[in-house]
Amino acid sequence: MSENSSKIWFDGELVPWEDANIHVLTHTLHYGLGVFEGIRAYHCENGKTAIFKLDKHIKRLFDSCHIAEIKVPFDHETLKNATINLLKVNELKEAYIRPIIFIGHGTMGVNPQENPIRVAIAAWPWGAYLGDDGLSKGIRVKISSYTRMDVNSFMTKAKICGNYVNSVFAKKEAISLGFDEAIMLDTDGYIAEGSGENVFIVRNGVVKTPPLTSILEGITRNFIFDIAENENIKVVEQRFTRDEFYTADEVFLTGTAAEITPIREADGRKIGNGTPGEITKRLQERFFNTIKGKDKKFESCLTYI
Ligand SMILES: Cc1ncc(COP(=O)(O)O)c(C=O)c1O
């Protein structure tokens, strides 16, 4: 259960948390066509709160709607300002922010026709997604028995609600078998991504991540390219197999929820020496300095509220 905050922005108004409810015949609830985002706000060293990559997240929300052919009844600036204001109203110093755009109730049946498009933004305090120990010591993952959905069945560049059934299956399986997270292969058998994270490996000083073909274009993933360039670390986008993953010197996951989480074990095989590697730690340090407002080079990633 997430911790409540007092208000949720819903269709242009602030409503009490417990009143942000929907009808059981909401179209998205039945058929999964809706889109969402996950954004984080951090309490910075200077005492202020800042949202990480806010414009990029709002842009991806609109891109997801474009892919899903959902016409949003608000513009970019309105949703951006609503997000900023929501944190102020709820007096949140640090928060996970969840905008969702979904198809309301009206006509039933797969074709949503003229059903209303509804927009909500919620925010609440949410700590390390894969645990504080996961961030510092690394997590244990399983290569999932579930394949990442094919690009011609679902569209992986959009954060479409229904896409996450694939993630939920993989995550539940990994947890039930005693692992922390699932890593899915694409339909050709190459490493794709985690249930809610992008994947990176490090071999002989080079960082490698799968190309965008069958994965979400992670905003944290893109930021890794920026940090790595600044640290003179080479990053390549290239397919790789599970055996290359097993024999990597270092492996880590990136995501808004997971931030930069090292992987210390995969399918019972130790990764490197079983502790977070040097390159992972360097990237993590730059990331956490950035979100705390301590890294002047990447100041523009933050929107202070
Ligand atoms: C399937 C999937 N891949 C990757 C990511 C990482 O994306 P981001 O860094 O933009 O949060 C997420 C999280 O949004 C995700 O759900």
Side-chain angles (χ1 to χ4, degrees):
M1 182 63 196
S2 62
E3 216 177 301
N4 293 5
S5 48
S6 77
K7 297 275 201 265
I8 288 179
W9 188 92
F10 202 1
D11 292 336
E13 287 176 23
L14 285 167
V15 300
W17 176 279
E18 48 286 342
D19 294 343
N21 303 315
I22 54 163
H23 197 274
V24 288
L25 294 185
T26 294
H27 196 275
T28 304
L29 185 63
H30 295 254
Y31 304 112
L33 189 71
V35 309
F36 69 94
E37 265 305 315
I39 311 172
R40 272 194 194 266
Y42 293 95
H43 191 206
C44 296
E45 206 184 35
N46 62 8
K48 293 184 183 160
T49 292
I51 305 175
F52 181 65
K53 300 266 185 189
L54 177 58
D55 278 307
K56 298 261 185 240
H57 281 283
I58 303 282
K59 162 91 170 58
R60 189 171 65 185
L61 185 67
F62 278 90
D63 285 349
S64 293
C65 285
H66 182 67
I67 291 169
E69 293 191 294
I70 293 174
K71 243 178 131 200
V72 193
F74 299 98
D75 63 13
H76 183 113
E77 281 309 299
T78 305
L79 296 192
K80 179 177 170 179
N81 292 334
T83 304
I84 294 170
N85 190 41
L86 185 71
L87 295 189
K88 287 185 187 160
V89 167
N90 283 312
E91 297 177 357
L92 290 164
K93 288 197 158 55
E94 287 215 321
Y96 182 83
I97 303 159
R98 168 55 55 84
I100 181 163
I101 302 181
F102 60 97
I103 304 172
H105 87 282
T107 312
M108 282 305 275
V110 169
N111 181 11
Q113 299 185 34
E114 298 302 318
N115 290 17
I117 304 303
R118 311 208 52 194
V119 185
I121 309 172
W124 64 89
W126 201 7
Y129 179 63
L130 293 164
D132 289 325
D133 261 11
L135 280 180
S136 59
K137 296 187 184 137
I139 59 162
R140 298 171 55 249
V141 301
K142 179 193 186 320
I143 302 290
S144 185
S145 73
Y146 293 97
T147 304
R148 194 66 180 142
M149 60 234 171
D150 180 75
V151 288
N152 283 323
S153 302
F154 290 86
M155 292 183 276
T156 59
K157 301 295 167 295
K159 274 182 82 74
I160 293 177
C161 302
N163 288 2
Y164 281 81
V165 174
N166 184 232
S167 291
V168 173
F169 284 150
K171 180 82 179 186
K172 275 165 66 76
E173 178 190 62
I175 298 291
S176 71
L177 294 172
F179 294 88
D180 302 306
E181 186 53 282
I183 303 295
M184 284 177 280
L185 305 179
D186 65 20
T187 46
D188 293 325
Y190 295 91
I191 299 283
E193 62 185 334
S195 69
E197 307 88 9
N198 293 115
V199 184
F200 290 77
I201 62 171
V202 184
R203 290 186 99 210
N204 306 320
V206 176
V207 177
K208 218 187 248 194
T209 195
L212 290 177
T213 326
S214 62
I215 61 171
L216 182 75
E217 183 171 3
I219 289 167
T220 323
R221 176 187 183 274
N222 283 347
F223 188 50
I224 290 289
F225 287 87
D226 297 340
I227 314 176
E229 189 183 7
N230 202 252
E231 289 276 318
N232 288 320
I233 298 168
K234 188 173 173 199
V235 187
V236 293
E237 289 177 284
Q238 203 179 85
R239 284 172 137 189
F240 53 88
T241 51
R242 67 197 285 173
D243 46 6
E244 192 171 343
F245 184 92
Y246 292 151
T247 54
D249 304 320
E250 306 177 30
V251 182
F252 61 91
L253 295 176
T254 65
T256 299
E259 299 167 312
I260 299 179
T261 299
I263 292 176
R264 64 182 161 88
E265 194 189 298
D267 294 340
R269 294 152 175 95
K270 210 191 267 185
I271 302 290
N273 65 7
T275 60
E278 285 315 307
I279 290 185
T280 306
K281 285 198 285 192
R282 266 166 74 192
L283 297 170
Q284 254 188 337
E285 193 184 348
R286 291 297 297 269
F287 174 79
F288 284 109
N289 280 343
T290 299
I291 52 122
K292 289 279 167 199
K294 291 197 281 187
D295 197 321
K296 296 294 158 225
K297 167 81 189 153
F298 296 118
E299 240 173 4
S300 63
C301 299
L302 301 177
T303 302
Y304 284 98
I305 67 164

Short mmCIF file of all heavy atoms in Angstrom, two decimals, residues 79-137:
data_model
loop_
_atom_site.label_atom_id
_atom_site.label_comp_id
_atom_site.label_asym_id
_atom_site.label_seq_id
_atom_site.Cartn_x
_atom_site.Cartn_y
_atom_site.Cartn_z
N LEU A 79 -0.30 20.12 -17.90
CA LEU A 79 0.03 18.94 -17.09
C LEU A 79 1.33 19.15 -16.30
O LEU A 79 1.46 18.68 -15.16
CB LEU A 79 0.13 17.69 -17.97
CG LEU A 79 -1.18 17.28 -18.67
CD1 LEU A 79 -1.05 15.89 -19.28
CD2 LEU A 79 -2.37 17.31 -17.72
N LYS A 80 2.24 19.90 -16.90
CA LYS A 80 3.50 20.20 -16.20
C LYS A 80 3.20 21.06 -14.96
O LYS A 80 3.64 20.75 -13.85
CB LYS A 80 4.43 20.95 -17.17
CG LYS A 80 5.74 21.34 -16.58
CD LYS A 80 6.62 22.02 -17.61
CE LYS A 80 7.84 22.62 -16.94
NZ LYS A 80 8.74 23.27 -17.90
N ASN A 81 2.43 22.13 -15.14
CA ASN A 81 2.11 23.01 -14.01
C ASN A 81 1.26 22.30 -12.96
O ASN A 81 1.42 22.53 -11.76
CB ASN A 81 1.41 24.28 -14.51
CG ASN A 81 2.37 25.14 -15.32
OD1 ASN A 81 3.58 25.07 -15.12
ND2 ASN A 81 1.84 25.92 -16.26
N ALA A 82 0.37 21.43 -13.43
CA ALA A 82 -0.48 20.67 -12.49
C ALA A 82 0.41 19.78 -11.61
O ALA A 82 0.16 19.64 -10.40
CB ALA A 82 -1.49 19.83 -13.25
N THR A 83 1.44 19.20 -12.20
CA THR A 83 2.36 18.32 -11.45
C THR A 83 3.12 19.12 -10.40
O THR A 83 3.22 18.71 -9.23
CB THR A 83 3.35 17.66 -12.44
OG1 THR A 83 2.61 16.96 -13.43
CG2 THR A 83 4.29 16.69 -11.73
N ILE A 84 3.62 20.26 -10.81
CA ILE A 84 4.38 21.11 -9.88
C ILE A 84 3.48 21.56 -8.73
O ILE A 84 3.84 21.45 -7.55
CB ILE A 84 4.97 22.34 -10.63
CG1 ILE A 84 6.02 21.86 -11.64
CG2 ILE A 84 5.54 23.37 -9.67
CD1 ILE A 84 6.50 22.93 -12.62
N ASN A 85 2.29 22.01 -9.10
CA ASN A 85 1.35 22.51 -8.08
C ASN A 85 0.91 21.40 -7.11
O ASN A 85 0.75 21.62 -5.92
CB ASN A 85 0.13 23.13 -8.79
CG ASN A 85 -0.74 23.87 -7.81
OD1 ASN A 85 -0.24 24.56 -6.92
ND2 ASN A 85 -2.05 23.70 -7.92
N LEU A 86 0.76 20.18 -7.66
CA LEU A 86 0.33 19.04 -6.83
C LEU A 86 1.33 18.77 -5.70
O LEU A 86 0.93 18.49 -4.56
CB LEU A 86 0.20 17.80 -7.73
CG LEU A 86 -0.35 16.55 -7.05
CD1 LEU A 86 -1.83 16.71 -6.74
CD2 LEU A 86 -0.13 15.33 -7.94
N LEU A 87 2.61 18.86 -6.03
CA LEU A 87 3.63 18.63 -4.99
C LEU A 87 3.55 19.72 -3.92
O LEU A 87 3.69 19.45 -2.73
CB LEU A 87 5.03 18.61 -5.60
CG LEU A 87 5.34 17.47 -6.56
CD1 LEU A 87 6.82 17.45 -6.90
CD2 LEU A 87 4.95 16.12 -5.99
N LYS A 88 3.30 20.96 -4.38
CA LYS A 88 3.20 22.07 -3.41
C LYS A 88 2.01 21.87 -2.49
O LYS A 88 2.11 21.96 -1.28
CB LYS A 88 3.04 23.40 -4.16
CG LYS A 88 4.31 23.87 -4.86
CD LYS A 88 4.06 25.25 -5.45
CE LYS A 88 5.21 25.70 -6.30
NZ LYS A 88 4.84 26.76 -7.23
N VAL A 89 0.85 21.58 -3.12
CA VAL A 89 -0.39 21.43 -2.34
C VAL A 89 -0.28 20.29 -1.33
O VAL A 89 -0.74 20.39 -0.20
CB VAL A 89 -1.58 21.19 -3.31
CG1 VAL A 89 -2.82 20.72 -2.57
CG2 VAL A 89 -1.88 22.46 -4.08
N ASN A 90 0.37 19.20 -1.75
CA ASN A 90 0.50 18.05 -0.86
C ASN A 90 1.70 18.18 0.09
O ASN A 90 1.95 17.28 0.90
CB ASN A 90 0.64 16.76 -1.67
CG ASN A 90 -0.70 16.31 -2.23
OD1 ASN A 90 -1.69 16.25 -1.52
ND2 ASN A 90 -0.73 16.00 -3.52
N GLU A 91 2.42 19.29 -0.06
CA GLU A 91 3.62 19.55 0.77
C GLU A 91 4.58 18.37 0.77
O GLU A 91 5.06 17.92 1.81
CB GLU A 91 3.21 19.91 2.20
CG GLU A 91 2.40 21.20 2.25
CD GLU A 91 1.91 21.55 3.65
OE1 GLU A 91 2.16 20.78 4.59
OE2 GLU A 91 1.29 22.62 3.78
N LEU A 92 4.82 17.84 -0.45
CA LEU A 92 5.71 16.69 -0.58
C LEU A 92 7.13 17.16 -0.89
O LEU A 92 7.34 17.88 -1.87
CB LEU A 92 5.22 15.77 -1.70
CG LEU A 92 3.93 15.00 -1.41
CD1 LEU A 92 3.34 14.45 -2.70
CD2 LEU A 92 4.20 13.88 -0.41
N LYS A 93 8.08 16.74 -0.07
CA LYS A 93 9.48 17.11 -0.33
C LYS A 93 10.10 16.13 -1.33
O LYS A 93 10.93 16.49 -2.14
CB LYS A 93 10.27 17.08 0.98
CG LYS A 93 9.92 18.25 1.91
CD LYS A 93 11.01 18.41 2.97
CE LYS A 93 11.05 19.78 3.58
NZ LYS A 93 9.81 20.24 4.14
N GLU A 94 9.71 14.86 -1.23
CA GLU A 94 10.17 13.83 -2.16
C GLU A 94 8.93 13.05 -2.56
O GLU A 94 8.05 12.82 -1.71
CB GLU A 94 11.15 12.86 -1.51
CG GLU A 94 12.51 13.44 -1.26
CD GLU A 94 13.64 12.43 -1.42
OE1 GLU A 94 13.47 11.27 -1.02
OE2 GLU A 94 14.68 12.82 -1.96
N ALA A 95 8.84 12.66 -3.83
CA ALA A 95 7.63 11.95 -4.23
C ALA A 95 7.84 11.13 -5.49
O ALA A 95 8.74 11.41 -6.30
CB ALA A 95 6.50 12.96 -4.49
N TYR A 96 7.02 10.12 -5.62
CA TYR A 96 6.86 9.42 -6.89
C TYR A 96 5.58 9.99 -7.49
O TYR A 96 4.58 10.16 -6.78
CB TYR A 96 6.73 7.91 -6.66
CG TYR A 96 6.61 7.14 -7.95
CD1 TYR A 96 7.74 6.79 -8.68
CD2 TYR A 96 5.36 6.76 -8.43
CE1 TYR A 96 7.63 6.08 -9.87
CE2 TYR A 96 5.25 6.06 -9.63
CZ TYR A 96 6.38 5.73 -10.33
OH TYR A 96 6.27 5.04 -11.51
N ILE A 97 5.62 10.35 -8.75
CA ILE A 97 4.48 11.03 -9.38
C ILE A 97 3.93 10.13 -10.48
O ILE A 97 4.69 9.64 -11.33
CB ILE A 97 4.93 12.38 -9.97
CG1 ILE A 97 5.57 13.25 -8.87
CG2 ILE A 97 3.75 13.11 -10.62
CD1 ILE A 97 6.47 14.35 -9.40
N ARG A 98 2.63 9.92 -10.50
CA ARG A 98 2.02 9.01 -11.46
C ARG A 98 0.89 9.70 -12.24
O ARG A 98 -0.25 9.74 -11.79
CB ARG A 98 1.48 7.79 -10.70
CG ARG A 98 0.56 6.84 -11.45
CD ARG A 98 1.14 6.30 -12.73
NE ARG A 98 2.42 5.64 -12.57
CZ ARG A 98 2.60 4.36 -12.21
NH1 ARG A 98 1.57 3.60 -11.96
NH2 ARG A 98 3.82 3.86 -12.13
N PRO A 99 1.21 10.29 -13.40
CA PRO A 99 0.14 10.77 -14.28
C PRO A 99 -0.44 9.58 -15.05
O PRO A 99 0.30 8.68 -15.45
CB PRO A 99 0.88 11.70 -15.26
CG PRO A 99 2.28 11.82 -14.75
CD PRO A 99 2.54 10.61 -13.92
N ILE A 100 -1.74 9.58 -15.23
CA ILE A 100 -2.37 8.52 -16.03
C ILE A 100 -3.46 9.14 -16.90
O ILE A 100 -4.20 10.02 -16.45
CB ILE A 100 -2.93 7.37 -15.14
CG1 ILE A 100 -3.56 6.27 -16.02
CG2 ILE A 100 -3.92 7.85 -14.09
CD1 ILE A 100 -3.76 4.94 -15.33
N ILE A 101 -3.50 8.72 -18.16
CA ILE A 101 -4.52 9.20 -19.09
C ILE A 101 -5.29 7.97 -19.55
O ILE A 101 -4.70 7.01 -20.05
CB ILE A 101 -3.87 9.94 -20.29
CG1 ILE A 101 -3.02 11.11 -19.74
CG2 ILE A 101 -4.93 10.40 -21.28
CD1 ILE A 101 -2.33 11.95 -20.78
N PHE A 102 -6.57 7.96 -19.32
CA PHE A 102 -7.32 6.74 -19.61
C PHE A 102 -8.67 7.04 -20.25
O PHE A 102 -9.12 8.19 -20.28
CB PHE A 102 -7.47 5.88 -18.34
CG PHE A 102 -8.21 6.55 -17.21
CD1 PHE A 102 -9.57 6.32 -17.00
CD2 PHE A 102 -7.56 7.41 -16.33
CE1 PHE A 102 -10.25 6.92 -15.95
CE2 PHE A 102 -8.23 8.02 -15.27
CZ PHE A 102 -9.58 7.77 -15.08
N ILE A 103 -9.28 5.98 -20.77
CA ILE A 103 -10.56 6.12 -21.46
C ILE A 103 -11.67 5.80 -20.46
O ILE A 103 -11.69 4.72 -19.87
CB ILE A 103 -10.61 5.19 -22.69
CG1 ILE A 103 -9.40 5.50 -23.61
CG2 ILE A 103 -11.93 5.33 -23.44
CD1 ILE A 103 -9.22 4.52 -24.75
N GLY A 104 -12.55 6.74 -20.29
CA GLY A 104 -13.59 6.61 -19.28
C GLY A 104 -14.74 5.71 -19.72
O GLY A 104 -14.67 5.04 -20.76
N HIS A 105 -15.80 5.71 -18.95
CA HIS A 105 -16.92 4.82 -19.31
C HIS A 105 -17.89 5.54 -20.24
O HIS A 105 -17.94 6.76 -20.31
CB HIS A 105 -17.57 4.23 -18.07
CG HIS A 105 -18.65 5.03 -17.44
ND1 HIS A 105 -18.42 6.12 -16.65
CD2 HIS A 105 -20.00 4.88 -17.49
CE1 HIS A 105 -19.56 6.59 -16.22
NE2 HIS A 105 -20.55 5.87 -16.72
N GLY A 106 -18.58 4.74 -21.02
CA GLY A 106 -19.46 5.24 -22.06
C GLY A 106 -19.89 4.00 -22.83
O GLY A 106 -20.55 3.12 -22.28
N THR A 107 -19.40 3.88 -24.06
CA THR A 107 -19.71 2.69 -24.84
C THR A 107 -18.83 1.54 -24.39
O THR A 107 -17.64 1.73 -24.15
CB THR A 107 -19.41 2.97 -26.33
OG1 THR A 107 -20.00 4.20 -26.66
CG2 THR A 107 -19.93 1.88 -27.23
N MET A 108 -19.38 0.34 -24.27
CA MET A 108 -18.54 -0.83 -24.01
C MET A 108 -18.19 -1.46 -25.36
O MET A 108 -18.72 -1.10 -26.39
CB MET A 108 -19.26 -1.83 -23.10
CG MET A 108 -19.24 -1.41 -21.64
SD MET A 108 -17.56 -1.12 -20.99
CE MET A 108 -17.08 -2.77 -20.52
N GLY A 109 -17.29 -2.45 -25.33
CA GLY A 109 -16.78 -3.05 -26.56
C GLY A 109 -15.37 -2.54 -26.78
O GLY A 109 -14.98 -1.50 -26.26
N VAL A 110 -14.63 -3.27 -27.59
CA VAL A 110 -13.20 -2.99 -27.75
C VAL A 110 -12.95 -1.59 -28.34
O VAL A 110 -12.05 -0.87 -27.92
CB VAL A 110 -12.53 -4.10 -28.61
CG1 VAL A 110 -11.12 -3.70 -29.01
CG2 VAL A 110 -12.50 -5.41 -27.83
N ASN A 111 -13.75 -1.18 -29.29
CA ASN A 111 -13.56 0.15 -29.89
C ASN A 111 -14.09 1.22 -28.94
O ASN A 111 -15.29 1.28 -28.67
CB ASN A 111 -14.29 0.20 -31.23
CG ASN A 111 -14.12 1.55 -31.91
OD1 ASN A 111 -13.30 2.36 -31.47
ND2 ASN A 111 -14.88 1.79 -32.96
N PRO A 112 -13.22 2.10 -28.44
CA PRO A 112 -13.66 3.07 -27.42
C PRO A 112 -14.59 4.16 -27.94
O PRO A 112 -15.22 4.87 -27.17
CB PRO A 112 -12.35 3.67 -26.91
CG PRO A 112 -11.31 3.34 -27.90
CD PRO A 112 -11.78 2.17 -28.69
N GLN A 113 -14.69 4.33 -29.23
CA GLN A 113 -15.56 5.34 -29.84
C GLN A 113 -15.40 6.70 -29.18
O GLN A 113 -14.29 7.21 -29.09
CB GLN A 113 -17.01 4.85 -29.83
CG GLN A 113 -17.16 3.56 -30.65
CD GLN A 113 -18.59 3.10 -30.76
OE1 GLN A 113 -19.52 3.88 -30.83
NE2 GLN A 113 -18.78 1.79 -30.81
N GLU A 114 -16.51 7.28 -28.69
CA GLU A 114 -16.45 8.66 -28.18
C GLU A 114 -16.32 8.73 -26.66
O GLU A 114 -16.65 9.76 -26.06
CB GLU A 114 -17.71 9.42 -28.62
CG GLU A 114 -17.88 9.56 -30.12
CD GLU A 114 -16.69 10.25 -30.78
OE1 GLU A 114 -16.19 11.25 -30.24
OE2 GLU A 114 -16.26 9.75 -31.84
N ASN A 115 -15.88 7.65 -26.02
CA ASN A 115 -15.78 7.69 -24.55
C ASN A 115 -14.87 8.84 -24.11
O ASN A 115 -13.91 9.16 -24.80
CB ASN A 115 -15.20 6.37 -24.02
CG ASN A 115 -16.16 5.21 -24.18
OD1 ASN A 115 -17.11 5.29 -24.95
ND2 ASN A 115 -15.90 4.14 -23.47
N PRO A 116 -15.16 9.44 -22.95
CA PRO A 116 -14.34 10.57 -22.50
C PRO A 116 -12.91 10.16 -22.15
O PRO A 116 -12.69 9.05 -21.68
CB PRO A 116 -15.08 11.05 -21.24
CG PRO A 116 -15.85 9.88 -20.78
CD PRO A 116 -16.23 9.09 -22.00
N ILE A 117 -11.97 11.06 -22.43
CA ILE A 117 -10.58 10.84 -22.04
C ILE A 117 -10.37 11.53 -20.70
O ILE A 117 -10.67 12.71 -20.54
CB ILE A 117 -9.60 11.43 -23.09
CG1 ILE A 117 -9.88 10.85 -24.48
CG2 ILE A 117 -8.15 11.21 -22.66
CD1 ILE A 117 -9.80 9.35 -24.58
N ARG A 118 -9.89 10.78 -19.74
CA ARG A 118 -9.73 11.30 -18.38
C ARG A 118 -8.26 11.35 -18.00
O ARG A 118 -7.46 10.51 -18.45
CB ARG A 118 -10.51 10.41 -17.41
CG ARG A 118 -11.93 10.18 -17.95
CD ARG A 118 -12.94 9.92 -16.92
NE ARG A 118 -12.95 10.91 -15.88
CZ ARG A 118 -13.59 10.72 -14.72
NH1 ARG A 118 -14.22 9.58 -14.49
NH2 ARG A 118 -13.59 11.66 -13.79
N VAL A 119 -7.91 12.33 -17.20
CA VAL A 119 -6.50 12.55 -16.86
C VAL A 119 -6.38 12.74 -15.35
O VAL A 119 -7.10 13.56 -14.76
CB VAL A 119 -5.94 13.80 -17.58
CG1 VAL A 119 -4.45 13.94 -17.31
CG2 VAL A 119 -6.21 13.72 -19.08
N ALA A 120 -5.48 11.97 -14.74
CA ALA A 120 -5.24 12.13 -13.31
C ALA A 120 -3.74 12.18 -13.04
O ALA A 120 -2.95 11.59 -13.79
CB ALA A 120 -5.88 10.99 -12.53
N ILE A 121 -3.38 12.89 -11.98
CA ILE A 121 -1.98 12.90 -11.53
C ILE A 121 -2.00 12.70 -10.02
O ILE A 121 -2.63 13.48 -9.29
CB ILE A 121 -1.25 14.22 -11.87
CG1 ILE A 121 -1.43 14.58 -13.36
CG2 ILE A 121 0.23 14.12 -11.52
CD1 ILE A 121 -0.90 15.97 -13.74
N ALA A 122 -1.33 11.65 -9.58
CA ALA A 122 -1.21 11.39 -8.14
C ALA A 122 0.26 11.47 -7.76
O ALA A 122 1.14 11.23 -8.60
CB ALA A 122 -1.78 10.02 -7.80
N ALA A 123 0.54 11.79 -6.52
CA ALA A 123 1.93 11.82 -6.03
C ALA A 123 1.94 11.39 -4.58
O ALA A 123 1.03 11.74 -3.82
CB ALA A 123 2.50 13.23 -6.17
N TRP A 124 2.95 10.61 -4.22
CA TRP A 124 3.04 10.14 -2.83
C TRP A 124 4.50 9.78 -2.54
O TRP A 124 5.28 9.57 -3.47
CB TRP A 124 2.12 8.92 -2.64
CG TRP A 124 2.53 7.71 -3.46
CD1 TRP A 124 3.39 6.72 -3.07
CD2 TRP A 124 2.12 7.39 -4.81
NE1 TRP A 124 3.53 5.80 -4.09
CE2 TRP A 124 2.76 6.18 -5.17
CE3 TRP A 124 1.27 8.00 -5.75
CZ2 TRP A 124 2.59 5.58 -6.42
CZ3 TRP A 124 1.10 7.39 -6.99
CH2 TRP A 124 1.75 6.20 -7.31
N PRO A 125 4.86 9.68 -1.27
CA PRO A 125 6.24 9.30 -0.95
C PRO A 125 6.47 7.82 -1.28
O PRO A 125 5.61 6.99 -0.97
CB PRO A 125 6.33 9.52 0.57
CG PRO A 125 5.12 10.30 0.94
CD PRO A 125 4.07 9.99 -0.07
N TRP A 126 7.57 7.49 -1.93
CA TRP A 126 7.87 6.10 -2.30
C TRP A 126 9.38 5.93 -2.30
O TRP A 126 10.06 6.59 -3.10
CB TRP A 126 7.28 5.77 -3.68
CG TRP A 126 7.09 4.30 -3.94
CD1 TRP A 126 7.24 3.28 -3.03
CD2 TRP A 126 6.68 3.68 -5.17
NE1 TRP A 126 6.95 2.08 -3.63
CE2 TRP A 126 6.61 2.29 -4.93
CE3 TRP A 126 6.38 4.16 -6.44
CZ2 TRP A 126 6.25 1.39 -5.93
CZ3 TRP A 126 6.02 3.25 -7.43
CH2 TRP A 126 5.95 1.89 -7.17
N GLY A 127 9.87 5.10 -1.41
CA GLY A 127 11.33 4.91 -1.28
C GLY A 127 11.91 4.10 -2.42
O GLY A 127 11.31 3.96 -3.48
N ALA A 128 13.09 3.52 -2.18
CA ALA A 128 13.82 2.77 -3.22
C ALA A 128 12.97 1.58 -3.67
O ALA A 128 12.59 0.73 -2.86
CB ALA A 128 15.15 2.30 -2.67
N TYR A 129 12.68 1.52 -4.97
CA TYR A 129 11.77 0.50 -5.52
C TYR A 129 12.30 -0.92 -5.30
O TYR A 129 11.55 -1.83 -4.99
CB TYR A 129 11.60 0.78 -7.02
CG TYR A 129 10.71 -0.19 -7.77
CD1 TYR A 129 9.36 -0.31 -7.45
CD2 TYR A 129 11.22 -0.97 -8.81
CE1 TYR A 129 8.55 -1.18 -8.16
CE2 TYR A 129 10.41 -1.84 -9.52
CZ TYR A 129 9.07 -1.95 -9.18
OH TYR A 129 8.27 -2.82 -9.88
N LEU A 130 13.61 -1.09 -5.45
CA LEU A 130 14.18 -2.43 -5.25
C LEU A 130 14.95 -2.50 -3.93
O LEU A 130 15.84 -3.34 -3.75
CB LEU A 130 15.06 -2.81 -6.46
CG LEU A 130 14.24 -3.01 -7.76
CD1 LEU A 130 15.13 -2.99 -8.99
CD2 LEU A 130 13.43 -4.30 -7.72
N GLY A 131 14.58 -1.62 -3.01
CA GLY A 131 15.13 -1.63 -1.66
C GLY A 131 16.44 -0.87 -1.54
O GLY A 131 17.21 -0.77 -2.49
N ASP A 132 16.69 -0.33 -0.33
CA ASP A 132 17.94 0.40 -0.09
C ASP A 132 19.14 -0.54 -0.22
O ASP A 132 20.18 -0.16 -0.75
CB ASP A 132 17.93 1.03 1.31
CG ASP A 132 16.94 2.20 1.36
OD1 ASP A 132 16.79 2.90 0.33
OD2 ASP A 132 16.30 2.39 2.40
N ASP A 133 18.97 -1.77 0.25
CA ASP A 133 20.05 -2.76 0.14
C ASP A 133 20.33 -3.09 -1.32
O ASP A 133 21.48 -3.30 -1.71
CB ASP A 133 19.63 -4.07 0.83
CG ASP A 133 20.22 -4.16 2.22
OD1 ASP A 133 20.75 -3.13 2.69
OD2 ASP A 133 20.13 -5.25 2.81
N GLY A 134 19.24 -3.11 -2.12
CA GLY A 134 19.39 -3.37 -3.56
C GLY A 134 20.26 -2.31 -4.20
O GLY A 134 21.15 -2.61 -5.01
N LEU A 135 20.02 -1.04 -3.83
CA LEU A 135 20.81 0.06 -4.40
C LEU A 135 22.28 -0.04 -4.01
O LEU A 135 23.16 0.22 -4.82
CB LEU A 135 20.26 1.41 -3.92
CG LEU A 135 19.03 1.97 -4.61
CD1 LEU A 135 18.64 3.30 -3.97
CD2 LEU A 135 19.25 2.16 -6.11
N SER A 136 22.53 -0.42 -2.76
CA SER A 136 23.93 -0.40 -2.31
C SER A 136 24.66 -1.71 -2.57
O SER A 136 25.85 -1.71 -2.88
CB SER A 136 24.00 -0.04 -0.82
OG SER A 136 23.28 -0.98 -0.07
N LYS A 137 23.95 -2.85 -2.48
CA LYS A 137 24.65 -4.14 -2.59
C LYS A 137 24.35 -4.88 -3.89
O LYS A 137 25.04 -5.82 -4.25
CB LYS A 137 24.25 -5.05 -1.43
CG LYS A 137 24.67 -4.49 -0.07
CD LYS A 137 24.40 -5.51 1.01
CE LYS A 137 24.73 -4.92 2.37
NZ LYS A 137 23.71 -5.24 3.37
#
